[in-house]
Each structure stands twice: as C-alpha cells, then as structure tokens.
Amino acid sequence: MSVEQRRLVVVSRKDHEHFYRLIGFKNVVVATKEEVWRLLSELKNDKHTAAILVEESLAREAGLDVLALNEKGFGPVVTLVPDKEVFLQSDPKAYYLKFASRIVGYQLGV
C-alpha cells in the first residue's frame, strides 16, 4: 500500500467530532479517556493508518505520553491536537486549520 492510501485517524471527544469533519477529516473516532489506550492498541498494527491525532486534553486525562510511545516504535506516528474550548467556540475552522498545517507541514485548502 502506498503512503497516499494510508489514513490519518483523529481521536476526539463526542462534542468536538463535528469540528474535525468540518475541516475535512474523514476518520474521526470518538473516545473517552478510558477508551484511548484500547484504540491505540487496535491501531498500532493497522497497516492502513499512517498517523493518529489525539486531542491534547483527552491524552492528558488518559495519561498518554506521546513522545515515549513514538520512541518505542509504536507503529503509526501519534501526535497531539490542542483543543482549547474558547478558540474552538470562536472560530473552530481557523483553529484546526492552523494546527493541522503545523502537523502536516503545509497549509490545507479546505
């Protein structure tokens, strides 16, 4: 499978799911802090997943150490997406475009 065919998975809270879909993320998985580790375990050997974006507050509540996880050769790269409530409510599209461009490395045209 080529890199272009691999997917990006977003792990989000239910109340933020529509924000990710708004900017074009198709693979959004809704989770609670208890489900984060189970999801990561399922996705770590998934050859179709290139990267996993986890909401920062959700990762913090679950005790997820992204740097340690990636150093162990987890599989897909795991990174955090900041999820500040104030900015989300004022301009969610600009918020996620800004941070998605930092993660992906270029500006997304949505």
Side-chain angles (χ1 to χ4, degrees):
M1 174 173 281
S2 70
V3 173
E4 296 82 26
Q5 296 172 327
R6 296 181 73 193
R7 67 185 177 157
L8 178 72
V9 176
V10 178
V11 179
S12 159
R13 296 179 191 278
K14 179 67 177 161
D15 52 340
H16 298 162
E17 176 184 17
H18 65 282
F19 294 124
Y20 294 102
R21 296 198 189 282
L22 174 71
I23 62 168
F25 288 110
K26 293 181 177 75
N27 300 303
V28 179
V29 179
V30 174
T32 63
K33 66 180 181 181
E34 293 81 14
E35 296 172 316
V36 170
W37 284 101
R38 180 187 56 79
L39 283 168
L40 292 177
S41 295
E42 289 175 10
L43 293 169
K44 75 177 181 179
N45 295 319
D46 182 1
K47 295 178 184 178
H48 301 292
T49 302
I52 304 167
L53 307 177
V54 182
E55 286 187 335
E56 185 175 21
S57 63
L58 194 56
R60 191 175 310 127
E61 289 176 17
L64 179 65
D65 183 349
V66 173
L67 294 175
L69 194 61
N70 287 324
E71 286 176 358
K72 292 179 182 177
F74 175 75
V77 68
V78 179
T79 192
L80 300 178
V81 177
D83 58 333
K84 305 289 184 204
E85 288 293 330
V86 175
F87 196 71
L88 281 172
Q89 291 172 358
S90 64
D91 192 355
K93 186 174 180 178
Y95 176 81
Y96 284 114
L97 283 173
K98 175 183 172 185
F99 288 105
S101 66
R102 287 184 185 171
I103 293 165
V104 176
Y106 59 89
Q107 183 66 37
L108 300 174
V110 178

